[in-house]
Amino acid sequence: MEYWRKFRERVAARNQTTELDDDLETLEEYTQRWRSVRVIYFTMFLMALGFSIILTGIWPFLSELDPTAGKEFMGLIVAANPLGQMIFSPIFGRWGNKLGTIRLPLLISLALFSVASALYSSLELLNNVKYWMLVSRFLIGVSSANIALCRSYLSAATRLNERTHAVSMVSLAQVLGFIIGPGLQALVTPLGRKGQVWFWGAMHVNMYTASGWINVIMSLGNFVMFLPGFFEEHRIAAREIMVMQGGTSERETWKAIKPNYYSAWTLIVAFFVLVFNFVLLETLGTSLTMDMFAWTNNEALYNMGIFMTIAAIISLVTFVLIEPLCKIFAERYVLIWGGFSLMVVGRLLYIPWGPDPPKLAIAYNASSNLSLDDPLYLGCPVTQDWCPELPALTLTQFIIGFALTSVGYPIGVTLIQTIFSKVLGPRPQGVWMGIMTAAGCLSRVMGPVFVGSIYTRLGTYWTFGFTSIMMLVSMIWLLFSNRVLIPPVFEKPPIAMQVIHPKDKQNDGTPNEESDELLVESKTIRIVPSTQA
């Protein structure tokens, strides 16, 4: 342990040399600041995990608890999480700005997250299951509104030259939460439907409820991380700009800098479109593969978990490459050509070109004494009128489109947030980050509803044709608006130089080279001849 502590101190000292040259913070403050940033990373990961960990299991879980619920109600349950987050994100952002601290709102939200996750895992003990599932997902969404506070704090706690790296890491944490969630669901699938019953029947742990208990354990650990003594807030962004501009007040500095609202709203809309397309695929993934490839519940859960895990590895590599790419190309060009272009191609690939329609599944009949996994019930339901008319999506299409999304989405979501925080400047960003979070939540509300209203009724052509056009239009808009996506540059104003006046003269009237004065606005700088230096 002592060796590990010394190693960390050496690494920290090596990394902070440049940052401490401007006297903005001490070594201890630097260490505490980055420790708090890493806690934010974990919080963002957990909030994303809380949404995604049940996505692949929610439909089979709901259909077993209440076979009459239907896919449309499933869409409402999935949408309840982002709806709660969308409503409360600006409220949490405003609350954090008013308090001047994020600790109390985060502690309260994490406590609520634990309670709501435990409620989801206890559904088998309740009546009116589908409505309690709806309530639990809504409460998890309300608690996840703390993402607005996390993003706001990240912008305030990082310097300009640290921002791209920090946002890349927090976006990585969030995307990994979205992707690893289904992987964890696949990991607990061997527990089976019966699983284990603990505490005299009060706690059921099976392939569906284990995901909620994982959330409870991780959120309690996250709660401890925000207690005093571990999490210390250090806001350096406004102080850095104040020093750059030669100011004396952080508040006056950021109030004097007006953000470009057109840039801000352009990025908010782009964020909405990007998240909508990602969440649509994640929400639709399980039911789409069951319809197209005639997979059973267990096969869909397991295979989607494998796909998500591989996607997590691809995303990890992508996040590592973002910062080096942005040192070669402008951030806005990496966003457009590295993020949005790949997402456009990925959506186009999901328009089916298979030679035959998918295998058709007959409606389930409980009186037939056949299990839901019987081949008769596997495939595209005949209740979806488009199933016998449209070609099937091929597995190759699905895999390639999924891979392109795993590269394009991390680039897009990272650089949108990076440019957005820089465009806003050093001002408190709680409300603005709340608006951006709400835009992402709105897309996550609409994604599941889109599944119920468009995919179920109209099929794959309409679903992926519409999303392809949406992504293409957004990319063209960003191309035409790329000039306004350039963040402002903050520089110290130049000092007005004045004429050099000789302080003394020699007997012959020539200037005394030994002591000249350079007069500037408020300072006197003595120029010492090199012979005396």
Side-chain angles (χ1 to χ4, degrees), residues 335-499:
L335 166 65
I336 295 169
W337 297 110
F340 272 74
S341 64
L342 293 179
M343 290 290 289
V344 169
V345 177
R347 295 291 74 74
L348 289 171
L349 281 172
Y350 272 73
I351 297 175
W353 64 48
D356 301 307
K359 178 184 176 297
L360 297 181
I362 67 172
Y364 178 69
N365 184 359
S367 62
S368 64
N369 295 323
L370 296 175
S371 71
L372 287 170
D373 293 339
D374 189 274
L376 287 174
Y377 303 132
L378 299 180
C380 202
V382 293
T383 53
Q384 296 177 167
D385 296 335
W386 54 269
C387 286
E389 300 174 0
L390 299 181
L393 181 74
T394 67
L395 185 60
T396 301
Q397 281 182 269
F398 183 82
I399 292 173
I400 295 175
F402 203 84
L404 291 176
T405 301
S406 301
V407 176
Y409 179 75
I411 294 174
V413 76
T414 296
L415 293 180
I416 286 176
Q417 293 178 75
T418 301
I419 298 171
F420 186 69
S421 68
K422 291 180 178 179
V423 164
L424 292 178
R427 66 185 56 251
Q429 298 180 6
V431 175
W432 277 103
M433 288 299 177
I435 294 173
M436 171 163 274
T437 303
C441 295
L442 178 61
S443 67
R444 288 163 54 200
V445 171
M446 293 181 64
V449 175
F450 193 86
V451 171
S453 59
I454 304 298
Y455 173 76
T456 304
R457 297 178 184 180
L458 300 178
T460 48
Y461 276 174
W462 275 94
T463 300
F464 297 110
F466 179 81
T467 53
S468 297
I469 293 172
M470 177 189 290
M471 285 299 308
L472 184 60
V473 170
S474 299
M475 180 178 170
I476 294 171
W477 184 9
L478 287 174
L479 279 170
F480 280 105
S481 305
N482 81 87
R483 289 291 179 186
V484 300
L485 301 181
I486 303 174
V489 178
F490 304 104
E491 295 180 349
K492 189 171 182 177
I495 299 175
M497 307 296 286
Q498 296 183 4
V499 182

Side-chain angles (χ1 to χ4, degrees), residues 260-275:
N260 187 321
Y261 294 110
Y262 176 79
S263 302
W265 283 106
T266 294
L267 291 166
I268 288 172
V269 173
F271 188 72
F272 165 81
V273 172
L274 195 70
V275 176

Side-chain angles (χ1 to χ4, degrees), residues 212-284:
W213 296 121
I214 291 172
N215 279 341
V216 171
I217 293 170
M218 296 181 72
S219 61
L220 291 176
N222 200 185
F223 185 94
V224 173
M225 292 178 187
F226 279 102
L227 295 176
F230 191 89
F231 183 85
E232 301 293 338
E233 297 181 48
H234 290 278
R235 302 172 185 268
I236 198 172
R239 198 183 325 155
E240 180 189 25
I241 304 303
M242 179 192 72
V243 171
M244 283 183 175
Q245 296 195 327
T248 57
S249 168
E250 293 180 23
R251 181 178 178 83
E252 294 302 322
T253 298
W254 65 256
K255 288 185 72 174
I257 300 172
K258 301 299 180 184
N260 187 321
Y261 294 110
Y262 176 79
S263 302
W265 283 106
T266 294
L267 291 166
I268 288 172
V269 173
F271 188 72
F272 165 81
V273 172
L274 195 70
V275 176
F276 177 86
N277 277 268
F278 178 76
V279 173
L280 173 66
L281 178 59
E282 193 168 49
T283 305
L284 187 59

Side-chain angles (χ1 to χ4, degrees), residues 5-278:
R5 183 184 63 80
K6 291 180 179 180
F7 173 77
R8 290 180 59 192
E9 288 177 354
R10 286 198 301 270
V11 172
R14 192 161 55 242
N15 291 338
Q16 55 77 38
T17 302
T18 303
E19 282 81 358
L20 297 189
D21 284 346
D22 50 16
D23 296 326
L24 284 177
E25 60 186 348
T26 65
L27 175 58
E28 182 181 2
E29 290 171 338
Y30 174 90
T31 303
Q32 290 177 345
R33 178 167 66 88
W34 274 99
R35 183 170 62 196
S36 71
V37 168
R38 292 183 183 102
V39 172
I40 295 297
Y41 293 167
F42 181 78
T43 305
M44 293 287 280
F45 168 79
L46 178 60
M47 294 301 106
L49 186 77
F51 173 72
S52 69
I53 195 170
I54 59 94
L55 283 183
T56 55
I58 192 170
W59 170 240
F61 189 30
L62 178 63
S63 61
E64 288 195 18
L65 293 177
D66 187 350
T68 64
K71 284 184 180 177
E72 293 194 14
F73 197 86
M74 184 271 290
L76 294 177
I77 290 173
V78 175
N81 178 296
L83 178 63
Q85 191 177 16
M86 180 182 69
I87 295 171
F88 282 85
S89 287
I91 296 173
F92 270 68
R94 181 70 174 172
W95 187 16
N97 281 356
K98 284 290 186 182
L99 290 178
T101 177
I102 66 171
R103 189 195 309 277
L104 179 60
L106 279 165
L107 288 174
I108 292 175
S109 64
L110 287 170
L112 178 61
F113 185 87
S114 299
V115 172
S117 297
L119 174 61
Y120 177 84
S121 292
S122 304
L123 289 173
E124 294 171 307
L125 307 176
L126 304 172
N127 297 320
N128 299 317
V129 172
K130 66 180 184 180
Y131 297 109
W132 280 111
M133 184 181 285
L134 185 70
V135 170
S136 70
R137 298 308 297 168
F138 180 80
L139 291 178
I140 288 177
V142 173
S143 63
S144 300
N146 60 21
I147 286 178
L149 294 170
C150 293
R151 287 177 174 152
S152 173
Y153 178 74
L154 192 72
S155 298
T158 52
R159 299 167 182 251
L160 287 173
N161 65 343
E162 299 170 338
R163 193 73 49 79
T164 301
H165 170 76
V167 175
S168 295
M169 291 300 101
V170 83
S171 299
L172 170 62
Q174 194 170 15
V175 171
L176 287 180
F178 279 124
I179 293 176
I180 290 176
L184 288 177
Q185 175 66 76
L187 192 65
V188 299
T189 301
L191 288 173
R193 181 64 187 87
K194 293 184 178 180
Q196 303 290 327
V197 178
W198 296 339
F199 300 111
W200 305 280
M203 182 176 179
H204 290 201
V205 182
N206 56 44
M207 61 188 288
Y208 299 124
T209 62
S211 56
W213 296 121
I214 291 172
N215 279 341
V216 171
I217 293 170
M218 296 181 72
S219 61
L220 291 176
N222 200 185
F223 185 94
V224 173
M225 292 178 187
F226 279 102
L227 295 176
F230 191 89
F231 183 85
E232 301 293 338
E233 297 181 48
H234 290 278
R235 302 172 185 268
I236 198 172
R239 198 183 325 155
E240 180 189 25
I241 304 303
M242 179 192 72
V243 171
M244 283 183 175
Q245 296 195 327
T248 57
S249 168
E250 293 180 23
R251 181 178 178 83
E252 294 302 322
T253 298
W254 65 256
K255 288 185 72 174
I257 300 172
K258 301 299 180 184
N260 187 321
Y261 294 110
Y262 176 79
S263 302
W265 283 106
T266 294
L267 291 166
I268 288 172
V269 173
F271 188 72
F272 165 81
V273 172
L274 195 70
V275 176
F276 177 86
N277 277 268
F278 178 76

